Structures are given as C-alpha cells and as structure tokens.
Amino acid sequence: MSFRHLPSVDAVIRAVCAEQPDVPRELIRDAARAVLAQARAAIAAGSPPPDLPALVAAVRAELAASFAPSLRPLINATGVIIQTNLGRAPLSAAARAAMQAVSEGYSNLEYDLAAGERGSRHVHLESLLVRLTGAEAALVVNNNAAAVYLALIGLAAGREVIVSRGQAVEIGGGFRIPDVLRASGATLVEVGTTNRTYARDYAAAINERTALILRVHASNFRLIGFVHEPELAELAAVAHEHGLPLLDDLGSGTLIDTRQFGLQAEPTVQASVAAGADLVTFSGDKLLGGPQAGIIVGRRDLIGQLRRHPLARALRVDKCTIAGLAATLHSYLRGAALREIPVWQLISTPVEALQRRAEAITAALTAAGIPARAIACESAIGGGSLPGATQPSAGVAIAPVAGNATTLAARLRAGDPPVVARIIDGQVVCDLRSVFPMEDERLVTAIVAAYRS
C-alpha cells in the first residue's frame, strides 16, 4: 500500500488555508481529515495515492458542500400542487415582498404607532380574516394542528368532546385526532358508526361533562357508498340547543369554491361560519396559498379565551408569517386570488394550456436527442385537500435509454435545480400541472443534463 506517499494533514491544511484564509482553520482541519480518510480507503482498495493539489481540490469541494444549504428550491413535476414534502404552497410575489420588507429592519409588530405604546400582533390579521370569513374574531398560530390543539386544550381540557366515529382520523405525520384529544386533556366520545352518523347520535351523547362537538375534515381519504354525516347546520343546531360550542376543523380550508374548476366541493370557511360553527380552524399554507399558519375564526368570546391561554404565546407566529399571510389575504380581499396566488394559478390553468407547453417541451427535448412525448395525465391537489379528486393535466414522458426510469428520476433529483417527477409505466413523467411556465426552460435543461449524465 502507498499510505506513506500521502501528504500529511498539516500539509493539506496549510495549502488550503493559503487559498482560503477567511475560512476557520477548524473547518478546514475537519474537511482535510475527512478527505484523507477517503483517500486511505481508496488506496486500500487499490487506487494510487492522490497528490497534494488533488487533495486540496477535494477539501475545497468538501468545504463547499458543507456550506451549501440543505433546504433548496426545486421544480415540482409531480403534478401534486400542494405537496407537503416539497414545501406546500408557493408564495405570491406580494407575500414574498411583504416578508422581505419586514425582515430588513424593525417593524410595528407589537407597537401601536398612533398611541405610541405597546400593541398586539393579532391586529395585523384579525380584521382581514373577519372581513373575508364573516366571523366575529380571529387568531393565528403556527399551523392547523396547533390551532386544533389550542382550541381543545383551551375549551375542553378535563371534559368530553363528541366526534363521529368516521372522523377519528389520522392525517399526515401521524397526527391522530384521538391522540390530540388525549394530549389536550379532553376525553374522546365517539358516536355513530364508521360510515353513518346522525345528528341524533350527537344529541344522545351529550351530558354534563360535554365541552363541545367537533367535526373533522376527512383530509386525505373519502368514504363513499352507504355513508351519512349530518350537515354542519344540523350539528350547530344540536350544539346550540344544549349550550355547547361547535368546532369545525376544516384542515386545508378554502375561501374559494373549488367546483368552478371541475373539482368536487371543498367546504369553504365562510360557509362553515354561516352554518353556525362557533370556531373554524384551517391552514394558511394549503388552499389558502400563504405561509405556514393555523387560523382560528369564530365567536369573539371563544377566540378571546384562546388568546388568553398560556399556550397561545408558545404557538404564536412571527413577523414574517404575519406579513406574508396579510399580503395573501389582501389578494382575496381585492378579488385577485386567482391571478396572484400561485396555488390558484396552478389549479385554474386550463388543460389546453398545459398541453401546448408539453408539446413545446417535447419538441425541445426531441431536438436535443432525448426520446420524449407529450401525454395526458391526471393530477391531484394534495395537502389533505379534496381527497380522491383529480384534475386533467398534461406532461412530458421521457423513455430512459440506459438504466431504468428509477435511475433517470434519481439523476433529475440530483441536478441543479433538482426536479422531482413521477414514474408511469416505466417512463419518467414531468406533470406540468405543478410546474410554472417560467420554469419550462430550466426543466428542459435539467432533463437534458440528467439524461446525458
């Protein structure tokens, strides 16, 4: 073996320090040790020992990799618009600008400029949410799971919460309604059956220990066939007859009627408030299209109670989230959501427009010698919204020549920018429902690079 021909750690460190004097010596030392360990393993496997310039180059690469951010932008070619693993909702230009503006210096986050004294961070969003939903008051926390948990621990700790057996669900990340209730100190009382529950089932379960009635959105699954759930107005009537609040967990939550895009109806926040729900919880970063947040709207007295709970401070959102969410809500207030909010831009894009883009991308790839074809496909909304619903879409299918589709998909993910695609019938498919038109040229470049690597 040729271990003795390897330069010493000190020699490598001195050489790198001479080239990069601003990098802390400790980081260079750790990188040099890692590179030399790799070199020794390669020599043991029969490779010749690298010289000093090669080792210095390897250390530079190691340092560059350690400085590179692990959270990176990518092209979502899965067709799933609200892809939880890929960051959910892309933010609008207005939301990004608002978040940058408040992050560059100081702001009146909790300062009343008119009175010249301490104010409340809640005022920046509450009036917007009240106007858009018809609720009396609003509170924003860091995600919808936190919103549900705060509502339960603030209103039902030590008491009972009535839930339909078909709604005692588990959503992504192991978030289970029974577990959340247990953690909040409330007791779950299941009524009805998995597939059929009636208003009378809720009424029969009410006693002196009952704190509230909870309706839970089915999130990412759907019961079909011989099923029944009471309308929200029926539940509200039962709750109010017994002096109880009704909590409606919408999960994703939307302010726009999804049926206009050929999708099934997703309950809107406004409809829940109008139907008599006393509190409604929903996400800020799914169908609303803003930054991650959990939003609670409803009765003023109940919102006030939750706002005063000690946990509310632990779950509160920061200035950037408030700024981005406020800008997103302003788009709705101006009637510009379909034009300005990326989630709705993608949902509302006609399939004909996607087909034209698929054909253009296919032509560019074919000209570069890549076997590709435009295809029709189906896309999901995702993010626990509209379970089971799909939209017609168009994509580009690439047939791998060497290796297989899994290999090509991995090469796409390893590119710059990374591209996350689907595999359908042995081909890699880039579904354009979740790709913005401004990304088409970069998508072509990424596919060509991955195909030729």
Side-chain angles (χ1 to χ4, degrees):
M1 295 185 185
S2 305
F3 294 132
R4 65 181 180 276
H5 296 299
L6 276 176
S8 67
V9 174
D10 285 341
V12 176
I13 291 174
R14 286 195 301 271
V16 177
C17 284
E19 290 186 4
Q20 298 182 278
D22 296 333
V23 178
R25 185 181 178 87
E26 293 79 8
L27 294 180
I28 294 175
R29 179 199 62 204
D30 293 344
R33 287 175 174 171
V35 166
L36 284 168
Q38 294 166 7
R40 292 189 191 97
I43 292 171
S47 298
D51 57 16
L52 182 60
L55 289 170
V56 169
V59 171
R60 286 200 306 267
E62 183 81 9
L63 288 169
S66 67
F67 295 148
S70 61
L71 182 60
R72 301 169 58 191
L74 53 74
I75 295 176
N76 174 15
T78 66
V80 181
I81 294 172
I82 306 173
Q83 233 290 6
T84 297
N85 298 336
L86 304 184
R88 290 187 180 166
L91 298 179
S92 69
R96 298 195 305 271
M99 295 172 83
Q100 180 177 349
V102 298
S103 67
E104 290 176 343
Y106 297 100
S107 66
N108 63 327
L109 176 63
E110 291 188 355
Y111 187 75
D112 188 328
L113 291 170
E117 60 188 27
R118 180 169 182 167
S120 169
R121 70 179 60 202
H122 302 300
V123 300
H124 305 293
L125 294 170
E126 185 170 39
S127 62
L128 291 169
L129 288 165
V130 165
R131 291 182 66 182
L132 287 166
T133 66
E136 294 177 355
L139 175 63
V140 178
V141 293
N142 60 3
N143 61 25
N144 188 55
V148 175
Y149 183 64
L150 177 60
L152 291 172
I153 199 170
L155 302 177
R159 301 177 67 192
E160 295 179 352
V161 174
I162 303 174
V163 181
S164 169
R165 183 165 280 108
Q167 295 173 10
V169 298
E170 174 183 332
I171 61 172
F175 184 85
R176 291 183 168 188
I177 291 298
D179 293 344
V180 174
L181 280 158
R182 190 178 304 111
S184 72
T187 300
L188 168 65
V189 176
E190 293 186 12
V191 296
T193 63
T194 301
N195 60 319
R196 294 180 75 81
T197 304
Y198 299 89
R200 63 177 180 268
D201 296 320
Y202 291 88
I206 294 173
N207 59 57
E208 66 280 358
R209 298 192 67 247
T210 305
L212 58 84
I213 291 176
L214 170 63
R215 187 180 80 159
V216 183
H217 188 278
S219 183
N220 47 14
F221 84 98
R222 183 160 57 104
L223 289 173
I224 59 175
F226 189 61
V227 298
H228 178 82
E229 286 287 347
E231 296 293 329
L232 190 63
E234 294 181 74
L235 284 187
V238 171
H240 298 162
E241 181 182 348
H242 293 82
L244 299 173
L246 170 62
L247 170 59
D248 189 19
D249 171 25
L250 289 181
S252 175
T254 179
L255 300 176
I256 292 179
D257 188 346
T258 54
R259 291 174 295 183
Q260 62 185 295
F261 309 113
L263 297 165
Q264 68 191 44
E266 179 80 356
T268 66
V269 180
Q270 309 93 298
S272 289
V273 172
D278 299 284
L279 288 177
V280 182
T281 65
F282 57 103
S283 295
D285 58 336
K286 292 185 178 180
L287 282 175
L288 194 71
Q292 178 179 301
I295 302 171
I296 313 172
V297 300
R299 277 171 38 190
R300 185 175 293 105
D301 60 327
L302 298 179
I303 294 291
Q305 189 173 336
L306 299 182
R307 190 174 291 164
R308 292 187 296 271
H309 194 280
L311 188 61
R313 182 177 179 84
L315 300 177
R316 68 184 183 178
V317 290
D318 73 334
K319 61 186 178 183
C320 290
T321 299
I322 291 172
L325 186 54
T328 302
L329 295 173
H330 275 291
S331 291
Y332 285 96
L333 202 58
R334 295 195 312 272
L338 297 186
R339 298 193 308 273
E340 297 179 356
I341 297 178
V343 162
W344 292 109
Q345 291 172 348
L346 297 173
I347 289 175
S348 62
T349 300
V351 68
E352 294 78 13
L354 300 179
Q355 291 168 345
R356 289 191 294 270
R357 288 170 54 202
E359 290 165 1
I361 291 172
T362 297
L365 291 174
T366 302
I370 310 298
R373 61 190 179 92
I375 65 167
C377 51
E378 293 287 325
S379 302
I381 303 300
S385 308
L386 299 156
T390 60
Q391 274 187 295
S393 185
V396 178
I398 307 109
V401 171
N404 53 40
T406 302
T407 301
L408 179 56
R411 290 176 181 173
L412 282 169
R413 295 194 303 272
D416 185 18
V419 176
V420 182
R422 296 160 62 184
I423 296 178
I424 302 176
D425 296 332
Q427 296 184 319
V428 174
V429 173
C430 294
D431 187 329
L432 299 184
R433 175 63 70 182
S434 56
V435 178
F436 294 97
M438 62 187 177
E439 296 177 317
D440 286 358
E441 186 175 339
R442 295 170 66 213
L443 178 61
V444 169
T445 302
I447 293 172
V448 171
Y451 199 85
R452 292 175 176 173
S453 63

